[in-house]
Amino acid sequence: MTDLINSINNFLWDYILIYLLLGIGLYFTLRSGLIQLRHFGHMFSVLKNSNKSDDSGISSFQALCTSLAARVGTGNLAGVAIALTAGGPGAIFWMWVVAFIGMATSFVESTLAQLYKTKDDQGNYRGGPAYYMEKGLKKRWMGILFSFFLIIAFGLVFNAVQANSIATAADVAFQIKPLYVGIALVIISGTIIFGGLRSIARVAELVVPFMACAYLILAFWVVGHNIERIPEVFALIIKSAFGLQEAIAGTVGYGIAQAMTQGVQRGLFSNEAGMGSAPNAAASASPYPPHPASQGYVQMLGVFMDTIVICSATAIIILSSGILDGNVANVSGIELTQLALSSAVGHWGSTFIAIAIFFFAFTSIIANYAYAESNMIFLERNHTAGLFILRLATLGMVMFGTLAEVPLVWNMANVSMACMAIVNLIAILLLSGIAMKLAKDYNQQRRSGQLPTFNIKDYPEIQQQVEKGIWDNDTLGNK
């Protein structure tokens, strides 16, 4: 079974996804006129009034925190360490590349998710790739396929990955048995998961900003402690990314390929741009300004914060510590991050990482479930009979993850992630013209000094596809 999963994983990544992801992301970057650079400051401006919401949706800030809760997890702490050990320092450069072009991809998919959102039986906003595949492309079968992959990936496999990192970190720092960690995780996660999307959003809104800031403060302290090594660290990353470090050994091609593959894999796993996950949170928001494109900017900021900021902080902690200069052949994942931080700040560094990974991975578990919930509702056409089974299955995978071996769990995650990403990338490529229309409309209103407000009547060809009542001007005025 392990060999089969490895073969599928290698085929999807080496021959399909890495080119599709980079190619489509570069296409969106160029077609949007480098939107992630030209409007970099506006990403932060949108957050000024991001706490506004209505009875149907969560606030834009809650949507951002929910998507960050899913993004900021093992990919930032364990995933970066895996990328470094498997692909070398150059993998970090390719994580930056995939994040930069992924910002444009994230803008497109989140804007589309806002446009094509619906209301469920309880009157709450729901949406995401499955919904814009059904409404925008008129291909419900495609939405069903995507939902199936997402539920497997986020509702089940990814939660096992997050739980695995929590259990490993707790064992290293506190010598707590994985079984006990699993039981505690199931109880705490279950309490929030059974509270639904709003309960998840409230927890993410409180926990994510606090832990992200605490982690970055510690990272800056480590940088200051090893300031003389920072230029060397960045030079090593760049040289390794282009094979200059491997030139003497005669392994240039292999070194570049490994760095690129690991960087793209771990980058996508961390920031999720193009995967189709974050749009599920984006669609649940009541956007301000009341325009679909505003959520595109919010989620574009999420990619930047996740990879360019937090993943880079982890990479600098590890590389500046010098831990990779020693014999760490048998150390990988979260253990490597703990050792690196401990070498810089003392034994409490391992404890801090254990606490950080708990909060990061725990919030990822509940946010991942929220994504799966929206797609289960899509499959059941707004009914909720299957949610109880989904919740039990999610908690079962959390327990499984605390007891499973890391390589098998990560490879299962890679396969499921690749499948849903491929389906989503095809969909947003086909719908990208609509996203660009919305971006143009939004920015024309900004330039004229208006608050960007989406008027669906200006786009009769889109009005036929969007659910009635979602984008009526009288509804938008009540936000």
Side-chain angles (χ1 to χ4, degrees):
M1 177 60 73
T2 302
D3 291 339
L4 176 61
I5 292 175
N6 286 341
S7 298
I8 296 173
N9 178 43
N10 292 336
F11 174 76
L12 290 175
W13 279 98
D14 294 346
Y15 298 103
I16 299 178
L17 189 55
I18 191 170
Y19 301 107
L20 196 62
L21 177 71
L22 294 174
I24 291 178
L26 185 60
Y27 170 71
F28 289 154
T29 297
L30 296 176
R31 187 173 180 183
S32 65
L34 298 175
I35 191 170
Q36 61 270 65
L37 283 182
R38 291 189 302 113
H39 300 159
F40 182 79
H42 185 63
M43 295 189 302
F44 298 90
S45 299
V46 175
L47 291 182
K48 291 179 181 178
N49 296 290
S50 62
N51 61 339
K52 296 186 177 183
S53 64
D54 59 22
D55 294 336
S56 298
I58 60 178
S59 69
S60 292
F61 184 69
Q62 286 178 322
L64 174 62
C65 288
T66 301
S67 66
L68 278 174
R71 286 180 171 125
V72 180
T74 55
N76 302 82
L77 302 179
V80 171
I82 290 173
L84 284 170
T85 52
I92 305 305
F93 175 83
W94 295 108
M95 287 183 75
W96 293 338
V97 170
V98 79
F100 175 74
I101 65 173
M103 290 170 71
T105 305
S106 184
F107 176 87
V108 171
E109 62 182 356
S110 295
T111 297
L112 291 171
Q114 257 294 313
L115 175 66
Y116 290 109
K117 66 186 179 183
T118 66
K119 286 186 179 181
D120 63 18
D121 288 349
Q122 284 73 46
N124 297 316
Y125 289 137
R126 298 282 185 177
Y131 295 80
Y132 55 66
M133 290 169 191
E134 179 181 42
K135 294 183 174 295
L137 294 177
K138 304 301 181 185
K139 299 184 185 300
R140 179 170 171 81
W141 66 266
M142 198 174 184
I144 291 173
L145 188 64
F146 175 86
S147 294
F148 174 75
F149 287 135
L150 185 140
I151 289 172
I152 291 176
F154 281 82
L156 304 176
V157 179
F158 280 6
N159 284 336
V161 173
Q162 305 293 349
N164 186 280
S165 289
I166 292 175
T168 302
D171 185 36
V172 172
F174 308 114
Q175 291 76 52
I176 301 176
K177 291 184 178 180
L179 177 63
Y180 301 144
V181 174
I183 293 172
L185 269 179
V186 166
I187 293 172
I188 299 171
S189 302
T191 301
I192 299 171
I193 282 173
F194 276 88
L197 177 61
R198 290 184 183 272
S199 173
I200 293 168
R202 284 192 294 269
V203 172
E205 183 181 25
L206 293 173
V207 175
V208 172
F210 173 76
M211 281 310 303
C213 289
Y215 185 66
L216 290 176
I217 289 172
L218 183 61
F220 284 128
W221 188 91
V222 173
V223 168
H225 186 70
N226 298 306
I227 192 67
E228 72 283 352
R229 293 200 64 179
I230 300 306
E232 177 187 337
V233 166
F234 280 96
L236 180 63
I237 290 173
I238 300 301
K239 287 180 181 178
S240 298
F242 296 99
L244 301 179
Q245 197 71 15
E246 293 81 6
I248 298 176
T251 57
V252 177
Y254 178 77
I256 295 175
Q258 282 295 97
M260 182 180 292
T261 300
Q262 287 297 322
V264 173
Q265 272 189 333
R266 300 277 69 86
L268 177 59
F269 183 86
S270 179
N271 66 55
E272 302 176 9
M275 197 189 302
S277 52
N280 292 276
S284 300
S286 301
Y288 192 90
H291 194 289
S294 67
Q295 267 303 300
Y297 285 107
V298 168
Q299 296 303 327
M300 196 161 66
L301 176 61
V303 175
F304 173 81
M305 291 298 297
D306 172 86
T307 304
I308 305 298
V309 178
I310 298 178
C311 283
S312 296
T314 302
I316 291 173
I317 287 174
I318 295 173
L319 291 173
S320 65
S321 71
I323 195 75
L324 292 178
D325 298 335
N327 183 15
V328 291
N330 297 321
V331 181
S332 185
I334 197 63
E335 294 177 70
L336 183 62
T337 307
Q338 287 176 296
L339 288 175
L341 190 57
S342 295
S343 70
V345 302
H347 69 278
W348 65 266
S350 179
T351 302
F352 178 87
I353 289 295
I355 295 172
I357 198 66
F358 170 77
F359 282 105
F360 284 165
F362 167 70
T363 52
S364 290
I365 288 171
I366 60 176
N368 288 346
Y369 166 76
Y371 295 164
E373 180 179 280
S374 289
N375 284 269
M376 179 62 77
I377 290 173
F378 171 83
L379 292 177
E380 296 187 305
R381 291 192 178 274
N382 286 341
H383 300 297
T384 58
L387 291 186
F388 182 75
I389 297 174
L390 175 63
R391 288 164 179 167
L392 292 181
T394 298
L395 297 177
M397 287 299 289
V398 168
M399 177 58 76
F400 166 77
T402 61
L403 305 173
E405 292 294 323
V406 173
L408 176 61
V409 175
W410 275 100
N411 284 329
M412 289 172 62
N414 284 333
V415 170
S416 55
M417 173 173 62
C419 290
M420 61 179 287
I422 289 169
V423 176
N424 181 59
L425 287 168
I426 293 171
I428 61 176
L429 181 62
L430 295 174
L431 291 170
S432 59
I434 293 176
M436 295 304 160
K437 277 185 183 179
L438 297 181
K440 182 178 179 182
D441 176 61
Y442 182 92
N443 287 296
Q444 281 179 341
Q445 293 186 55
R446 278 184 60 212
R447 285 191 292 269
S448 64
Q450 300 175 317
L451 176 72
T453 303
F454 184 57
N455 187 350
I456 189 65
K457 295 179 181 177
D458 291 341
Y459 300 92
E461 72 282 7
I462 300 177
Q463 189 173 19
Q464 300 173 0
Q465 302 173 339
V466 175
E467 183 170 306
K468 293 181 180 179
I470 297 293
W471 290 106
D472 291 346
N473 282 339
D474 57 340
T475 303
L476 296 177
N478 291 330
K479 286 187 170 54

